[in-house]
Amino acid sequence: MPASKAAAAAAAAALGKAAPGKAAPELAVEGLGFSWGEHRVLDGLSFNVPKGSSLAIVGPSGTGKTTLLHLIGGLLKPAAGSLSLDPAMAPLALMPQSHGLLPWKTLAGNVALGAGLSPRDPGVAAMMARLGIGGLARRYPHQVSGGQAQRAALARALMGKPQTLLLDEATSQVDALTRESIQDLFHGAWRELGMTMILVTHSIEEAACLGSSILVLGYGTAELISNPLPASAPSTAAIRANPAWLALCTRLRERLAAVRPDEAGGKGRAV
């Protein structure tokens, strides 16, 4: 669905577009389509993600959220349309739903894989300390909590110095308080490192905390909503304390409640 020119301009300002006359690096999605067998998951989807912005993707099950993330990450190939990633937004790193740590390696060994280093490299210890798991270097994944494992997975991803971080429901398997702590780590890393962050989530609250734009997928429909809160707040706690965050959560909840399976077959619109 085409956004108004005013909304597009506001979104561009919030996401830090380049100065007039100079094209900003971006991920450009044009007419994207993908099918699993005879089931069309994405159809005619178009949107842009400027470098350094964050995009949260939400929608009911079966609307193609993870499929879209895997297309962006190059794990799948489009059946139609195009997906172009500016070289300035590479390399990419993907954090899956499960932390994906190798069970036979220590946390330090897993973190070191992100940059092909020795677990004893000072950079590994520094990254683990930065994320609050410095004292767990010699432990194995089964010996730590879910939140600690996710911190190790994030450390591994950041060791590769990604310009774009892809998160596939990366906080879905931890408790509520740990989830908020991990969300704050994602938000802090995004603000500090200036990377692009694209996340899939079933949590409306998480989308409103982390997405400077929020892509709401329906069955063959799409809507892009601008959100200035992540870029302007120093922490996710500050975002959640802002009445505008609650209003945005309500808006997203209403939009998702209106999505119906009978929308299937409708064309994905430019957003």
Side-chain angles (χ1 to χ4, degrees):
M1 59 189 67
S4 68
K5 291 184 178 180
L15 296 174
K17 286 274 191 177
K22 182 178 180 181
E26 64 179 11
L27 164 69
V29 176
E30 297 291 341
L32 188 67
F34 187 86
S35 299
W36 290 109
E38 296 183 356
H39 176 55
R40 193 72 163 178
V41 180
L42 299 171
D43 191 10
L45 183 63
S46 299
F47 63 92
N48 295 335
V49 181
K51 184 180 188 301
S53 66
S54 62
L55 175 72
I57 305 170
V58 297
S61 296
T63 54
K65 299 182 300 298
T66 294
T67 297
L68 176 57
L69 193 72
H70 287 178
L71 285 163
I72 293 171
L75 301 178
L76 296 172
K77 293 184 178 180
S82 65
L83 191 155
S84 176
L85 183 75
D86 191 283
M89 297 175 70
L92 290 75
L94 171 66
M95 281 187 63
Q97 292 184 36
S98 172
H99 49 68
L101 300 179
L102 300 180
W104 59 87
K105 284 187 174 288
T106 62
L107 292 198
N110 274 283
V111 172
L113 286 174
L117 299 173
S118 163
R120 301 182 185 86
D121 189 281
V124 173
M127 180 63 74
M128 294 184 71
R130 176 181 177 185
L131 296 185
I133 52 173
L136 306 177
R138 296 185 179 181
R139 294 193 187 182
Y140 290 85
H142 72 275
Q143 296 175 318
V144 300
S145 69
Q148 290 166 336
Q150 285 299 79
R151 287 171 183 260
L154 177 59
R156 179 181 59 187
L158 295 181
M159 285 297 294
K161 299 181 179 179
Q163 291 300 307
T164 301
L165 180 62
L166 307 179
L167 306 173
D168 187 6
E169 297 186 52
T171 66
S172 64
Q173 299 186 23
V174 295
D175 63 84
L177 290 179
T178 301
R179 183 177 304 117
E180 290 184 0
S181 175
I182 298 296
Q183 288 169 358
D184 202 51
L185 282 177
F186 291 152
H187 179 261
W190 170 66
R191 282 173 54 89
E192 179 182 346
L193 301 177
M195 61 186 175
T196 306
M197 183 168 65
I198 302 175
L199 63 140
V200 165
T201 180
H202 278 287
S203 168
I204 290 171
E205 291 78 10
E206 181 167 279
C209 270
L210 297 180
S212 54
S213 284
I214 302 168
L215 180 63
V216 181
L217 292 180
Y219 297 98
T221 65
E223 178 181 3
L224 191 67
I225 298 173
S226 179
N227 176 19
L229 296 175
S232 60
S235 67
T236 54
I239 294 172
R240 284 188 287 270
N242 191 325
W245 173 77
L246 183 59
L248 177 58
C249 289
T250 299
R251 179 183 176 189
L252 290 172
R253 189 167 286 107
E254 291 172 347
R255 177 63 189 94
L256 288 169
V259 173
R260 295 288 182 269
D262 57 13
E263 291 178 351
K267 290 287 186 180
R269 292 169 284 183
V271 291

